mmCIF file of all heavy atoms in Angstrom:
data_model
loop_
_atom_site.group_PDB
_atom_site.id
_atom_site.type_symbol
_atom_site.label_atom_id
_atom_site.label_comp_id
_atom_site.label_asym_id
_atom_site.label_seq_id
_atom_site.Cartn_x
_atom_site.Cartn_y
_atom_site.Cartn_z
ATOM 1 N N MET Q 1 -18.658 -37.694 16.143
ATOM 2 C CA MET Q 1 -17.442 -38.321 15.672
ATOM 3 C C MET Q 1 -17.507 -38.583 14.155
ATOM 4 O O MET Q 1 -16.485 -38.591 13.514
ATOM 5 C CB MET Q 1 -17.242 -39.625 16.428
ATOM 6 C CG MET Q 1 -15.871 -40.182 16.347
ATOM 7 S SD MET Q 1 -14.708 -39.084 17.119
ATOM 8 C CE MET Q 1 -13.218 -39.922 16.895
ATOM 9 N N GLU Q 2 -18.686 -38.802 13.676
ATOM 10 C CA GLU Q 2 -18.850 -39.029 12.243
ATOM 11 C C GLU Q 2 -18.408 -37.824 11.410
ATOM 12 O O GLU Q 2 -17.908 -37.999 10.274
ATOM 13 C CB GLU Q 2 -20.301 -39.380 11.921
ATOM 14 C CG GLU Q 2 -20.779 -40.660 12.515
ATOM 15 C CD GLU Q 2 -22.250 -40.883 12.289
ATOM 16 O OE1 GLU Q 2 -22.861 -40.104 11.555
ATOM 17 O OE2 GLU Q 2 -22.817 -41.821 12.877
ATOM 18 N N LEU Q 3 -18.574 -36.642 11.973
ATOM 19 C CA LEU Q 3 -18.190 -35.420 11.251
ATOM 20 C C LEU Q 3 -16.691 -35.385 10.977
ATOM 21 O O LEU Q 3 -16.253 -34.940 9.919
ATOM 22 C CB LEU Q 3 -18.627 -34.204 12.053
ATOM 23 C CG LEU Q 3 -18.379 -32.814 11.396
ATOM 24 C CD1 LEU Q 3 -19.178 -32.742 10.064
ATOM 25 C CD2 LEU Q 3 -18.771 -31.727 12.306
ATOM 26 N N LEU Q 4 -15.896 -35.858 11.923
ATOM 27 C CA LEU Q 4 -14.435 -35.826 11.735
ATOM 28 C C LEU Q 4 -13.996 -36.810 10.651
ATOM 29 O O LEU Q 4 -12.899 -36.648 10.087
ATOM 30 C CB LEU Q 4 -13.746 -36.156 13.050
ATOM 31 C CG LEU Q 4 -13.882 -35.107 14.135
ATOM 32 C CD1 LEU Q 4 -13.211 -35.596 15.405
ATOM 33 C CD2 LEU Q 4 -13.300 -33.776 13.703
ATOM 34 N N LEU Q 5 -14.769 -37.810 10.392
ATOM 35 C CA LEU Q 5 -14.409 -38.796 9.368
ATOM 36 C C LEU Q 5 -14.954 -38.470 7.977
ATOM 37 O O LEU Q 5 -14.622 -39.115 7.032
ATOM 38 C CB LEU Q 5 -14.927 -40.196 9.776
ATOM 39 C CG LEU Q 5 -14.390 -40.720 11.128
ATOM 40 C CD1 LEU Q 5 -15.057 -42.028 11.459
ATOM 41 C CD2 LEU Q 5 -12.879 -40.858 11.104
ATOM 42 N N SER Q 6 -15.750 -37.413 7.886
ATOM 43 C CA SER Q 6 -16.366 -37.034 6.668
ATOM 44 C C SER Q 6 -15.360 -36.263 5.758
ATOM 45 O O SER Q 6 -14.700 -35.346 6.208
ATOM 46 C CB SER Q 6 -17.563 -36.122 6.912
ATOM 47 O OG SER Q 6 -18.060 -35.573 5.712
ATOM 48 N N ALA Q 7 -15.260 -36.730 4.528
ATOM 49 C CA ALA Q 7 -14.326 -36.068 3.576
ATOM 50 C C ALA Q 7 -14.791 -34.640 3.284
ATOM 51 O O ALA Q 7 -13.985 -33.732 3.140
ATOM 52 C CB ALA Q 7 -14.235 -36.872 2.307
ATOM 53 N N GLU Q 8 -16.096 -34.456 3.184
ATOM 54 C CA GLU Q 8 -16.635 -33.113 2.911
ATOM 55 C C GLU Q 8 -16.274 -32.132 4.026
ATOM 56 O O GLU Q 8 -15.960 -30.965 3.737
ATOM 57 C CB GLU Q 8 -18.174 -33.172 2.790
ATOM 58 C CG GLU Q 8 -18.625 -33.894 1.551
ATOM 59 C CD GLU Q 8 -20.134 -33.945 1.486
ATOM 60 O OE1 GLU Q 8 -20.824 -33.305 2.306
ATOM 61 O OE2 GLU Q 8 -20.635 -34.655 0.583
ATOM 62 N N ALA Q 9 -16.291 -32.574 5.259
ATOM 63 C CA ALA Q 9 -15.929 -31.711 6.368
ATOM 64 C C ALA Q 9 -14.466 -31.268 6.294
ATOM 65 O O ALA Q 9 -14.127 -30.116 6.489
ATOM 66 C CB ALA Q 9 -16.194 -32.427 7.696
ATOM 67 N N TRP Q 10 -13.564 -32.209 5.932
ATOM 68 C CA TRP Q 10 -12.152 -31.890 5.849
ATOM 69 C C TRP Q 10 -11.882 -30.978 4.662
ATOM 70 O O TRP Q 10 -11.083 -30.039 4.767
ATOM 71 C CB TRP Q 10 -11.314 -33.155 5.731
ATOM 72 C CG TRP Q 10 -11.173 -33.843 7.067
ATOM 73 C CD1 TRP Q 10 -11.784 -35.012 7.427
ATOM 74 C CD2 TRP Q 10 -10.389 -33.409 8.190
ATOM 75 N NE1 TRP Q 10 -11.448 -35.317 8.739
ATOM 76 C CE2 TRP Q 10 -10.579 -34.365 9.204
ATOM 77 C CE3 TRP Q 10 -9.584 -32.326 8.443
ATOM 78 C CZ2 TRP Q 10 -9.993 -34.232 10.455
ATOM 79 C CZ3 TRP Q 10 -8.971 -32.198 9.660
ATOM 80 C CH2 TRP Q 10 -9.172 -33.134 10.646
ATOM 81 N N ILE Q 11 -12.549 -31.207 3.556
ATOM 82 C CA ILE Q 11 -12.372 -30.323 2.400
ATOM 83 C C ILE Q 11 -12.876 -28.908 2.680
ATOM 84 O O ILE Q 11 -12.206 -27.930 2.373
ATOM 85 C CB ILE Q 11 -13.115 -30.918 1.162
ATOM 86 C CG1 ILE Q 11 -12.392 -32.202 0.710
ATOM 87 C CG2 ILE Q 11 -13.170 -29.926 0.023
ATOM 88 C CD1 ILE Q 11 -13.159 -32.984 -0.345
ATOM 89 N N SER Q 12 -14.002 -28.828 3.367
ATOM 90 C CA SER Q 12 -14.528 -27.530 3.764
ATOM 91 C C SER Q 12 -13.580 -26.816 4.700
ATOM 92 O O SER Q 12 -13.285 -25.611 4.556
ATOM 93 C CB SER Q 12 -15.880 -27.675 4.422
ATOM 94 O OG SER Q 12 -16.816 -28.227 3.555
ATOM 95 N N LEU Q 13 -13.019 -27.506 5.662
ATOM 96 C CA LEU Q 13 -12.104 -26.936 6.619
ATOM 97 C C LEU Q 13 -10.833 -26.430 5.932
ATOM 98 O O LEU Q 13 -10.368 -25.320 6.181
ATOM 99 C CB LEU Q 13 -11.739 -27.921 7.707
ATOM 100 C CG LEU Q 13 -10.780 -27.423 8.788
ATOM 101 C CD1 LEU Q 13 -11.409 -26.310 9.553
ATOM 102 C CD2 LEU Q 13 -10.372 -28.544 9.712
ATOM 103 N N LEU Q 14 -10.295 -27.233 5.001
ATOM 104 C CA LEU Q 14 -9.089 -26.814 4.284
ATOM 105 C C LEU Q 14 -9.349 -25.637 3.377
ATOM 106 O O LEU Q 14 -8.516 -24.728 3.258
ATOM 107 C CB LEU Q 14 -8.547 -27.988 3.459
ATOM 108 C CG LEU Q 14 -7.931 -29.122 4.278
ATOM 109 C CD1 LEU Q 14 -7.556 -30.279 3.345
ATOM 110 C CD2 LEU Q 14 -6.730 -28.633 5.030
ATOM 111 N N THR Q 15 -10.532 -25.595 2.780
ATOM 112 C CA THR Q 15 -10.892 -24.481 1.908
ATOM 113 C C THR Q 15 -11.000 -23.187 2.729
ATOM 114 O O THR Q 15 -10.486 -22.161 2.309
ATOM 115 C CB THR Q 15 -12.226 -24.750 1.199
ATOM 116 O OG1 THR Q 15 -12.100 -25.966 0.440
ATOM 117 C CG2 THR Q 15 -12.603 -23.628 0.250
ATOM 118 N N LEU Q 16 -11.676 -23.256 3.841
ATOM 119 C CA LEU Q 16 -11.813 -22.082 4.719
ATOM 120 C C LEU Q 16 -10.457 -21.625 5.232
ATOM 121 O O LEU Q 16 -10.189 -20.399 5.293
ATOM 122 C CB LEU Q 16 -12.764 -22.396 5.880
ATOM 123 C CG LEU Q 16 -14.233 -22.455 5.527
ATOM 124 C CD1 LEU Q 16 -15.047 -22.892 6.713
ATOM 125 C CD2 LEU Q 16 -14.715 -21.141 5.048
ATOM 126 N N THR Q 17 -9.610 -22.559 5.601
ATOM 127 C CA THR Q 17 -8.278 -22.186 6.075
ATOM 128 C C THR Q 17 -7.476 -21.483 4.992
ATOM 129 O O THR Q 17 -6.866 -20.480 5.231
ATOM 130 C CB THR Q 17 -7.530 -23.436 6.569
ATOM 131 O OG1 THR Q 17 -8.327 -24.085 7.588
ATOM 132 C CG2 THR Q 17 -6.183 -23.082 7.120
ATOM 133 N N PHE Q 18 -7.546 -22.027 3.787
ATOM 134 C CA PHE Q 18 -6.829 -21.421 2.663
ATOM 135 C C PHE Q 18 -7.324 -19.996 2.380
ATOM 136 O O PHE Q 18 -6.555 -19.082 2.171
ATOM 137 C CB PHE Q 18 -6.999 -22.299 1.410
ATOM 138 C CG PHE Q 18 -6.413 -21.734 0.188
ATOM 139 C CD1 PHE Q 18 -5.026 -21.703 -0.004
ATOM 140 C CD2 PHE Q 18 -7.218 -21.180 -0.811
ATOM 141 C CE1 PHE Q 18 -4.453 -21.168 -1.147
ATOM 142 C CE2 PHE Q 18 -6.653 -20.662 -1.965
ATOM 143 C CZ PHE Q 18 -5.278 -20.653 -2.152
ATOM 144 N N LEU Q 19 -8.656 -19.823 2.416
ATOM 145 C CA LEU Q 19 -9.214 -18.521 2.161
ATOM 146 C C LEU Q 19 -8.802 -17.506 3.236
ATOM 147 O O LEU Q 19 -8.517 -16.351 2.933
ATOM 148 C CB LEU Q 19 -10.721 -18.572 2.021
ATOM 149 C CG LEU Q 19 -11.242 -19.236 0.765
ATOM 150 C CD1 LEU Q 19 -12.769 -19.425 0.847
ATOM 151 C CD2 LEU Q 19 -10.911 -18.421 -0.428
ATOM 152 N N GLU Q 20 -8.780 -17.966 4.489
ATOM 153 C CA GLU Q 20 -8.376 -17.076 5.590
ATOM 154 C C GLU Q 20 -6.922 -16.632 5.392
ATOM 155 O O GLU Q 20 -6.611 -15.463 5.617
ATOM 156 C CB GLU Q 20 -8.525 -17.812 6.923
ATOM 157 C CG GLU Q 20 -9.972 -17.966 7.361
ATOM 158 C CD GLU Q 20 -10.613 -16.653 7.804
ATOM 159 O OE1 GLU Q 20 -9.884 -15.747 8.234
ATOM 160 O OE2 GLU Q 20 -11.812 -16.543 7.675
ATOM 161 N N VAL Q 21 -6.059 -17.546 4.998
ATOM 162 C CA VAL Q 21 -4.649 -17.197 4.809
ATOM 163 C C VAL Q 21 -4.492 -16.193 3.662
ATOM 164 O O VAL Q 21 -3.809 -15.186 3.779
ATOM 165 C CB VAL Q 21 -3.796 -18.455 4.556
ATOM 166 C CG1 VAL Q 21 -2.386 -18.100 4.071
ATOM 167 C CG2 VAL Q 21 -3.745 -19.298 5.813
ATOM 168 N N VAL Q 22 -5.143 -16.478 2.528
ATOM 169 C CA VAL Q 22 -5.047 -15.597 1.373
ATOM 170 C C VAL Q 22 -5.591 -14.211 1.669
ATOM 171 O O VAL Q 22 -4.980 -13.183 1.398
ATOM 172 C CB VAL Q 22 -5.779 -16.216 0.166
ATOM 173 C CG1 VAL Q 22 -5.911 -15.214 -0.986
ATOM 174 C CG2 VAL Q 22 -5.050 -17.434 -0.325
ATOM 175 N N LEU Q 23 -6.763 -14.148 2.317
ATOM 176 C CA LEU Q 23 -7.350 -12.851 2.631
ATOM 177 C C LEU Q 23 -6.566 -12.124 3.698
ATOM 178 O O LEU Q 23 -6.498 -10.878 3.701
ATOM 179 C CB LEU Q 23 -8.808 -13.050 3.049
ATOM 180 C CG LEU Q 23 -9.739 -13.506 1.925
ATOM 181 C CD1 LEU Q 23 -11.131 -13.735 2.503
ATOM 182 C CD2 LEU Q 23 -9.798 -12.471 0.801
ATOM 183 N N GLY Q 24 -5.954 -12.832 4.621
ATOM 184 C CA GLY Q 24 -5.128 -12.220 5.631
ATOM 185 C C GLY Q 24 -3.921 -11.563 5.032
ATOM 186 O O GLY Q 24 -3.534 -10.428 5.380
ATOM 187 N N ILE Q 25 -3.256 -12.242 4.079
ATOM 188 C CA ILE Q 25 -2.079 -11.698 3.389
ATOM 189 C C ILE Q 25 -2.514 -10.467 2.566
ATOM 190 O O ILE Q 25 -1.820 -9.458 2.524
ATOM 191 C CB ILE Q 25 -1.404 -12.750 2.520
ATOM 192 C CG1 ILE Q 25 -0.780 -13.816 3.411
ATOM 193 C CG2 ILE Q 25 -0.394 -12.139 1.618
ATOM 194 C CD1 ILE Q 25 -0.288 -15.043 2.675
ATOM 195 N N ASP Q 26 -3.668 -10.554 1.962
ATOM 196 C CA ASP Q 26 -4.194 -9.454 1.147
ATOM 197 C C ASP Q 26 -4.416 -8.238 2.037
ATOM 198 O O ASP Q 26 -4.082 -7.103 1.653
ATOM 199 C CB ASP Q 26 -5.492 -9.849 0.483
ATOM 200 C CG ASP Q 26 -6.068 -8.762 -0.404
ATOM 201 O OD1 ASP Q 26 -5.292 -8.212 -1.172
ATOM 202 O OD2 ASP Q 26 -7.265 -8.477 -0.301
ATOM 203 N N ASN Q 27 -4.967 -8.423 3.210
ATOM 204 C CA ASN Q 27 -5.164 -7.302 4.135
ATOM 205 C C ASN Q 27 -3.861 -6.704 4.621
ATOM 206 O O ASN Q 27 -3.758 -5.473 4.736
ATOM 207 C CB ASN Q 27 -5.973 -7.744 5.368
ATOM 208 C CG ASN Q 27 -7.430 -7.964 5.016
ATOM 209 O OD1 ASN Q 27 -7.948 -7.401 4.045
ATOM 210 N ND2 ASN Q 27 -8.122 -8.775 5.804
ATOM 211 N N ILE Q 28 -2.860 -7.515 4.841
ATOM 212 C CA ILE Q 28 -1.551 -6.995 5.303
ATOM 213 C C ILE Q 28 -0.978 -6.130 4.200
ATOM 214 O O ILE Q 28 -0.425 -5.024 4.469
ATOM 215 C CB ILE Q 28 -0.600 -8.143 5.644
ATOM 216 C CG1 ILE Q 28 -1.096 -8.842 6.903
ATOM 217 C CG2 ILE Q 28 0.814 -7.677 5.774
ATOM 218 C CD1 ILE Q 28 -0.357 -10.133 7.239
ATOM 219 N N ILE Q 29 -1.037 -6.549 2.931
ATOM 220 C CA ILE Q 29 -0.500 -5.758 1.819
ATOM 221 C C ILE Q 29 -1.274 -4.456 1.674
ATOM 222 O O ILE Q 29 -0.680 -3.398 1.521
ATOM 223 C CB ILE Q 29 -0.576 -6.593 0.509
ATOM 224 C CG1 ILE Q 29 0.371 -7.771 0.589
ATOM 225 C CG2 ILE Q 29 -0.258 -5.720 -0.698
ATOM 226 C CD1 ILE Q 29 0.219 -8.769 -0.526
ATOM 227 N N PHE Q 30 -2.574 -4.500 1.811
ATOM 228 C CA PHE Q 30 -3.413 -3.293 1.693
ATOM 229 C C PHE Q 30 -3.077 -2.293 2.801
ATOM 230 O O PHE Q 30 -2.921 -1.100 2.538
ATOM 231 C CB PHE Q 30 -4.902 -3.708 1.765
ATOM 232 C CG PHE Q 30 -5.846 -2.534 1.648
ATOM 233 C CD1 PHE Q 30 -6.005 -1.876 0.480
ATOM 234 C CD2 PHE Q 30 -6.541 -2.121 2.757
ATOM 235 C CE1 PHE Q 30 -6.877 -0.831 0.370
ATOM 236 C CE2 PHE Q 30 -7.441 -1.051 2.677
ATOM 237 C CZ PHE Q 30 -7.589 -0.400 1.464
ATOM 238 N N ILE Q 31 -2.912 -2.757 4.032
ATOM 239 C CA ILE Q 31 -2.569 -1.876 5.118
ATOM 240 C C ILE Q 31 -1.174 -1.309 4.938
ATOM 241 O O ILE Q 31 -0.902 -0.119 5.208
ATOM 242 C CB ILE Q 31 -2.705 -2.634 6.470
ATOM 243 C CG1 ILE Q 31 -4.161 -2.919 6.746
ATOM 244 C CG2 ILE Q 31 -2.091 -1.835 7.614
ATOM 245 C CD1 ILE Q 31 -4.427 -3.826 7.909
ATOM 246 N N ALA Q 32 -0.242 -2.096 4.422
ATOM 247 C CA ALA Q 32 1.119 -1.596 4.182
ATOM 248 C C ALA Q 32 1.132 -0.524 3.097
ATOM 249 O O ALA Q 32 1.836 0.483 3.257
ATOM 250 C CB ALA Q 32 2.007 -2.739 3.741
ATOM 251 N N ILE Q 33 0.309 -0.662 2.073
ATOM 252 C CA ILE Q 33 0.233 0.371 1.033
ATOM 253 C C ILE Q 33 -0.372 1.636 1.628
ATOM 254 O O ILE Q 33 0.154 2.741 1.377
ATOM 255 C CB ILE Q 33 -0.625 -0.126 -0.171
ATOM 256 C CG1 ILE Q 33 0.135 -1.211 -0.895
ATOM 257 C CG2 ILE Q 33 -0.953 1.004 -1.088
ATOM 258 C CD1 ILE Q 33 -0.694 -1.953 -1.943
ATOM 259 N N LEU Q 34 -1.404 1.498 2.394
ATOM 260 C CA LEU Q 34 -2.045 2.695 3.012
ATOM 261 C C LEU Q 34 -1.106 3.380 4.000
ATOM 262 O O LEU Q 34 -1.012 4.611 4.035
ATOM 263 C CB LEU Q 34 -3.352 2.341 3.714
ATOM 264 C CG LEU Q 34 -4.510 1.990 2.823
ATOM 265 C CD1 LEU Q 34 -5.751 1.678 3.688
ATOM 266 C CD2 LEU Q 34 -4.849 3.117 1.871
ATOM 267 N N ALA Q 35 -0.369 2.587 4.776
ATOM 268 C CA ALA Q 35 0.576 3.158 5.755
ATOM 269 C C ALA Q 35 1.710 3.866 5.045
ATOM 270 O O ALA Q 35 2.210 4.879 5.560
ATOM 271 C CB ALA Q 35 1.098 2.086 6.634
ATOM 272 N N GLY Q 36 2.118 3.434 3.861
ATOM 273 C CA GLY Q 36 3.166 4.094 3.141
ATOM 274 C C GLY Q 36 2.749 5.446 2.585
ATOM 275 O O GLY Q 36 3.582 6.297 2.345
ATOM 276 N N ARG Q 37 1.459 5.653 2.431
ATOM 277 C CA ARG Q 37 0.973 6.938 1.904
ATOM 278 C C ARG Q 37 0.725 7.954 3.003
ATOM 279 O O ARG Q 37 0.474 9.128 2.663
ATOM 280 C CB ARG Q 37 -0.352 6.719 1.160
ATOM 281 C CG ARG Q 37 -0.193 5.886 -0.086
ATOM 282 C CD ARG Q 37 -1.504 5.765 -0.803
ATOM 283 N NE ARG Q 37 -1.374 4.973 -2.019
ATOM 284 C CZ ARG Q 37 -2.387 4.644 -2.815
ATOM 285 N NH1 ARG Q 37 -3.581 5.094 -2.524
ATOM 286 N NH2 ARG Q 37 -2.150 3.945 -3.917
ATOM 287 N N LEU Q 38 0.806 7.568 4.249
ATOM 288 C CA LEU Q 38 0.556 8.507 5.313
ATOM 289 C C LEU Q 38 1.681 9.503 5.447
ATOM 290 O O LEU Q 38 2.866 9.169 5.224
ATOM 291 C CB LEU Q 38 0.412 7.770 6.663
ATOM 292 C CG LEU Q 38 -0.843 6.912 6.838
ATOM 293 C CD1 LEU Q 38 -0.767 6.152 8.143
ATOM 294 C CD2 LEU Q 38 -2.063 7.788 6.805
ATOM 295 N N PRO Q 39 1.349 10.758 5.803
ATOM 296 C CA PRO Q 39 2.463 11.715 6.037
ATOM 297 C C PRO Q 39 3.208 11.358 7.293
ATOM 298 O O PRO Q 39 2.645 10.731 8.201
ATOM 299 C CB PRO Q 39 1.727 13.048 6.172
ATOM 300 C CG PRO Q 39 0.313 12.684 6.566
ATOM 301 C CD PRO Q 39 0.039 11.327 5.958
ATOM 302 N N GLU Q 40 4.459 11.749 7.380
ATOM 303 C CA GLU Q 40 5.263 11.422 8.564
ATOM 304 C C GLU Q 40 4.896 12.225 9.781
ATOM 305 O O GLU Q 40 4.421 13.294 9.716
ATOM 306 C CB GLU Q 40 6.757 11.643 8.223
ATOM 307 C CG GLU Q 40 7.215 10.637 7.185
ATOM 308 C CD GLU Q 40 8.745 10.749 7.039
ATOM 309 O OE1 GLU Q 40 9.417 11.281 7.918
ATOM 310 O OE2 GLU Q 40 9.194 10.220 6.025
#
């Protein structure tokens, strides 16, 4: 229970969540660019 009250734990969780969102969007853009280059 002490872990949930720790400020460091919440900052780490928010940082990881932010990185996951940013990298996920980056992957979507990359796949969209590659899919646009494929022949029909």
Side-chain angles (χ1 to χ4, degrees):
M1 196 65 180
E2 294 174 7
L3 183 61
L4 292 177
L5 300 176
S6 171
E8 291 178 9
W10 284 107
I11 292 170
S12 298
L13 181 63
L14 290 175
T15 303
L16 286 173
T17 304
F18 175 74
L19 288 173
E20 287 289 333
V21 169
V22 169
L23 292 176
I25 293 170
D26 182 48
N27 286 337
I28 291 170
I29 293 170
F30 180 71
I31 291 170
I33 291 170
L34 288 181
R37 294 183 180 178
L38 290 175
E40 292 189 17

